[in-house]
Amino acid sequence: MTARNISQFWEWGRKIICVGRNYADHAKELKNAIPTEPILFLKPPSAYVREGSSILVPRYSNNLHHEVELGVVIGKGGTAIPESAAMEHVAGYALCLDMTARDVQDVCKSKGLPWTRAKAFNTSCPVSEFIPKERIPDPGNVTLWLKVNDQLRQNGCTSQMIFSIPYLISYISEFITLEEGDLILTGTPKGVSAVQVHDQLQAGIQDVVTMSFRVDRQ
C-alpha cells in the first residue's frame, strides 16, 4: 500500500471529531452550562476547505459564526489510549475554523436534535497547512486569534481549555477508534460572532501559522 502523506491529511483522513464548549468563557457567552465531560460532534471529510477556496454560507442559514480552534492531527491510531501515552499518537496540528450555522444550531438545541445541519455542511472546516508536532512543543499553551476584515474578534490561549488534549484523545478513543489522519478540533475561545458574505477572515496561531478565507454564499 502506498504510504500516505500526513501533511495532506485533509485529502484522505476519515473523520473530524469536534469538542464543543471546551472553553468556559465561550460556554458562558452562548449561555450554555460548563460541561463536566466533553461534548462531541462529528464533521465529514467533505467539510474541509483550504486557502484559495471560499467558505460558503449554507442556503438555509442567515447567521454563520466563526470559531477558531487548534486541531490535533492523529499520526498513530488506537483504541482506549491511556492519557499518559496520548501524545505519542499525535503527528502534528492544524489551525482550524469550526464554521457554525448558529441560527440552525439554536433551533436544533431547542428541539433536542443533533447539530449536523449547523456544523457539518460543505466548507464548515477550513484548515491551515499541517504543523509538525515539533513546532508546537506545548499545545496546552498557544495563542489563537481571528480577525474579520482586520478587526480582532477572538484571541485566546489553549491554557484555558477545560479538557486537555491528552485527556480528549484518551476519552474519545474509549468509544471511537482513532485512525491515522483523523483530526480532533479542541474547542474555541470566547469572541465568536457572525460573518457576512464578502467578509475576509484571517486567523493564526501566534508565531506559528496564519491563514485567510473569504466568505461567499452557496
Side-chain angles (χ1 to χ4, degrees):
M1 187 175 74
T2 304
R4 293 173 294 192
N5 184 354
I6 195 68
S7 68
Q8 294 177 303
F9 64 90
W10 56 83
E11 293 184 350
W12 52 269
R14 281 159 50 99
K15 54 187 176 290
I16 305 166
I17 304 166
C18 308
V19 182
R21 305 177 195 166
N22 198 25
Y23 291 72
D25 286 347
H26 170 60
K28 291 174 184 175
E29 73 180 344
L30 295 182
K31 298 180 173 57
N32 292 315
I34 296 173
T36 56
E37 63 179 342
I39 297 171
L40 304 179
F41 58 94
L42 302 176
K43 292 179 185 272
S46 53
Y48 282 128
V49 62
R50 298 272 297 132
E51 278 191 282
S53 297
S54 295
I55 297 166
L56 300 178
V57 182
R59 288 187 294 273
Y60 51 80
S61 175
N62 292 302
N63 190 19
L64 184 67
H65 279 207
H66 57 76
E67 299 187 3
V68 66
E69 314 205 3
L70 178 65
V72 178
V73 182
I74 299 299
K76 182 175 74 171
T79 304
I81 299 165
E83 188 173 347
S84 60
M87 296 308 292
E88 299 170 16
H89 293 258
V90 175
Y93 306 93
L95 178 63
C96 309
L97 303 183
D98 170 18
M99 301 304 298
T100 302
R102 192 73 69 200
D103 48 353
V104 178
Q105 186 189 32
D106 287 345
V107 171
C108 292
K109 286 163 60 178
S110 71
K111 296 180 178 179
L113 297 174
W115 301 348
T116 305
R117 289 191 86 214
K119 291 281 196 178
F121 55 89
N122 292 347
T123 76
S124 64
C125 190
V127 292
S128 72
E129 65 191 50
F130 174 75
I131 303 165
K133 189 176 183 178
E134 299 73 29
R135 291 192 61 200
I136 301 183
D138 183 4
N141 189 29
V142 295
T143 298
L144 310 174
W145 58 267
L146 181 139
K147 297 178 180 179
V148 178
N149 302 326
D150 289 325
Q151 297 295 312
L152 186 65
R153 297 278 184 90
Q154 291 186 268
N155 187 42
C157 184
T158 56
S159 63
Q160 300 164 335
M161 285 183 187
I162 298 169
F163 304 107
S164 70
I165 289 169
Y167 182 87
L168 291 171
I169 291 170
S170 179
Y171 179 90
I172 292 166
S173 69
E174 284 290 335
F175 56 96
I176 300 176
T177 295
L178 291 173
E179 301 169 288
E180 182 186 11
D182 286 349
L183 180 69
I184 300 173
L185 267 59
T186 58
T188 193
K190 68 178 180 179
V192 303
S193 63
V195 298
Q196 310 298 325
V197 173
H198 306 316
D199 278 352
Q200 293 284 344
L201 275 59
Q202 301 163 297
I205 300 173
Q206 186 174 333
D207 301 325
V208 177
V209 72
T210 61
M211 65 181 186
S212 61
F213 287 88
R214 175 185 166 93
V215 179
D216 285 314
R217 185 167 277 282
Q218 280 185 345

